[in-house]
Amino acid sequence: MTDSVTRTRQNHALIVAAGQGERSGLGLPKQYALVQGLPMVRHSAASFLNHPKIAKLWIVIREGQDEQLHNALVGLRSYEVVIGGATRQDSVRNGLSGIAAAGGAKNVLIHDAARPFLSQLVIDRLLATVEQEEAAIPVLPTIDTTINIVDGYAASTLDRNALWRVQTPQTFDYDKLVYAHAIWPAGHEATDDAQVFKAAGYQIAVVEGDEALKKYTTASDFAESSEQNMKQIRTGMGFDVHQLVTGEELWLGGLKIDHHKGLSGHSDADVLLHALTDALLGAAGAGDIGDHFPPSDPKWRGASSDKFVEFAASVIKQKGGSINNVDMTVICEAPKIKPHREAMRQNIAKMLDLSIDRVSVKATTTENLGFTGRGEGIAAQAVATISME
C-alpha cells in the first residue's frame, strides 16, 4: 500500500449537519447560525481540519445547502460534501457510503454539528483509545439528582452514579460501523451511532468528555452564547530575550531544533514560550513568569517551559476566562523558523487546548543589526487575547 492510500484509510471525520433546526426558532438551520461570532458548523470543522491525525473531513448537509456551507467555511482547506437523508441515521449512512467510494477508512469519528466547541484534547483521547478498542465515545457524569416520572408524578430516584451523558464525536472502527448500520432493523431510528454499534455486538470504550461540548438545540442556547460574547476582552503582551551560547540545546515553541548554539537562561530557555507565558499572565492581570517561577529557584533549572504556558492558561480558566487567540513573533537571524513553524503551532495549540487556527507563529530578522543581528541571542514577543467575566 502506498503512503497516500494508507493515509486515506486512516482517521476520517464526519460531521452530520443536515438538520433543519426547527426547535431552535432561529428561522434558519441552526448549524449556520452564529455562535461566538462564527457559523456553528465552522467551529468543529476547523477543529477536525487542524488536527494532525485526521486525514479527511466529510460534512453531510441537506440538499440545497451547498452555498450556505461554502459561506460558513470560507477560507478553510479542503473537505468533502455529502447530501444527507430523511433522518440522522440515513445521513450517517450516506456519509459512510461516501467514504467507501473514496477508498474507505480505518476509523471514523461521527460528530453532530450542533456541538461546536470540540477540543483537540477530546479528539486525542478518542484516537488514542481506538488504537486498542473497537470504538470510543466521550461521556460526562450525571450531576443532578435523576428520577423516574410516572403519569406526571415523581416516582423513584435513580442511581446517578450509574448514569452518564453521552457526547460526540463518537469514534468507531470504520468497517465495523458500516456492518452495524447494514444489519440495523429497518424502520427503527437509533438515538446515536453508539446504539447501532452496540446492537451489532461490539464493545464501546468511554473517554472523558468536555462540558464545552454541549449541544445547541433551542433559542435559549444561542441566547446564552450571545451573552458570553459580551464578556470583557483583554489583551496581554509578552517579550523575552535569551543569549545564544555553545553547548546548550535550542528549544523554541516546545520544539528542540538542531543548531550549533542553544539558548541559555531560565528553565530550558524557550524564549518563545516565555514570551507567551507573560502575555497570558498579563492578559489575566496575574503578574509575570518571574513571579510564579523565579529563576533563583533551582527547581526550575532545565524545566520544560510548556509547564509555564499551561499554568498561565489554568490561571485564566480559574478566573472564569478563556483564551481567544495568541500571536507570536520570533526575532533572530538563525536558525530559520519557517521549517519548524507548523510544529510549533501544533505544540502551542495543544498546550492551550485551542484549534490551530487560533495560534500564530511568525518570524523576522533585524537585518543584521543589534544583538539578534549579530547572532548573540534570540528575542520573542507575544500577544494574547482572552475573554473574561
Side-chain angles (χ1 to χ4, degrees), residues 333-353:
E333 296 293 331
K336 296 297 183 185
I337 301 302
K338 188 173 183 179
H340 310 289
R341 186 171 59 193
E342 292 310 303
M344 292 178 187
R345 292 179 68 208
Q346 289 174 10
N347 285 345
I348 294 166
K350 191 168 184 178
M351 292 173 207
L352 300 178
D353 194 15

Side-chain angles (χ1 to χ4, degrees), residues 74-358:
V74 64
L76 296 184
R77 62 181 175 86
S78 61
Y79 51 88
E80 302 293 332
V81 178
V82 177
I83 301 302
T87 66
R88 182 190 184 281
Q89 206 165 334
D90 291 335
S91 293
V92 171
R93 288 196 190 100
N94 288 0
L96 294 175
S97 296
I99 295 173
K106 179 182 178 183
N107 300 308
V108 60
L109 296 83
I110 310 292
H111 185 58
D112 292 332
R115 297 182 185 272
F117 299 116
L118 171 61
S119 74
Q120 302 284 290
L121 287 178
V122 170
I123 299 174
D124 287 341
R125 291 178 197 139
L126 291 166
L127 293 181
T129 302
V130 293
E131 288 181 3
Q132 307 294 330
E133 305 286 348
E134 297 172 322
I137 60 175
V139 299
L140 289 173
T142 298
I143 299 172
D144 297 325
T145 298
T146 305
I147 63 172
N148 279 326
I149 296 177
V150 178
D151 297 328
Y153 292 91
S156 59
T157 299
L158 303 177
D159 180 8
R160 64 186 177 191
N161 293 320
L163 300 173
W164 296 79
R165 295 173 285 155
V166 178
Q167 300 181 311
T168 69
Q170 299 179 350
T171 307
F172 308 93
D173 177 290
Y174 170 77
D175 291 331
K176 291 177 180 177
L177 182 61
V178 170
Y179 171 74
H181 272 280
I183 65 171
W184 179 261
H188 291 75
E189 186 63 21
T191 56
D192 65 1
D193 296 281
Q195 182 182 358
V196 175
F197 199 77
K198 183 70 175 174
Y202 298 123
Q203 294 288 341
I204 302 173
V206 297
V207 304
E208 181 185 356
D210 186 349
E211 290 289 357
L213 259 178
K214 65 167 285 186
K215 188 174 184 179
Y216 283 63
T217 303
T218 65
S220 62
D221 295 325
F222 290 87
E224 180 182 338
S225 176
S226 296
E227 291 172 3
Q228 291 172 352
N229 279 341
M230 297 174 67
K231 288 183 176 181
Q232 184 184 77
I233 303 299
R234 294 186 178 189
T235 300
M237 298 179 64
F239 180 79
D240 198 30
V241 174
H242 283 298
Q243 184 180 8
L244 280 167
V245 298
T246 302
E248 293 282 356
E249 295 178 341
L250 177 57
W251 286 88
L252 283 173
L255 188 71
K256 185 179 178 182
I257 298 175
D258 289 332
H259 194 56
H260 67 283
K261 290 185 178 181
L263 291 172
S264 174
H266 187 309
S267 62
D268 60 8
D270 190 324
V271 66
L272 184 59
L273 295 190
H274 291 185
L276 175 59
T277 300
D278 270 350
L280 293 167
L281 291 173
D288 61 28
I289 191 171
D291 294 330
H292 301 280
F293 307 98
S296 57
D297 190 336
K299 73 178 178 181
W300 303 121
R301 185 175 296 120
S304 176
S305 294
D306 58 356
K307 293 182 174 64
F308 308 152
V309 174
E310 290 166 358
F311 170 80
S314 72
V315 169
I316 292 169
K317 187 174 182 180
Q318 289 165 11
K319 287 174 169 280
S322 60
I323 302 168
N324 297 333
N325 70 290
V326 294
D327 183 22
M328 294 151 283
T329 302
V330 182
I331 307 166
C332 64
E333 296 293 331
K336 296 297 183 185
I337 301 302
K338 188 173 183 179
H340 310 289
R341 186 171 59 193
E342 292 310 303
M344 292 178 187
R345 292 179 68 208
Q346 289 174 10
N347 285 345
I348 294 166
K350 191 168 184 178
M351 292 173 207
L352 300 178
D353 194 15
L354 293 177
S355 60
I356 200 168
D357 63 337
R358 297 189 182 194

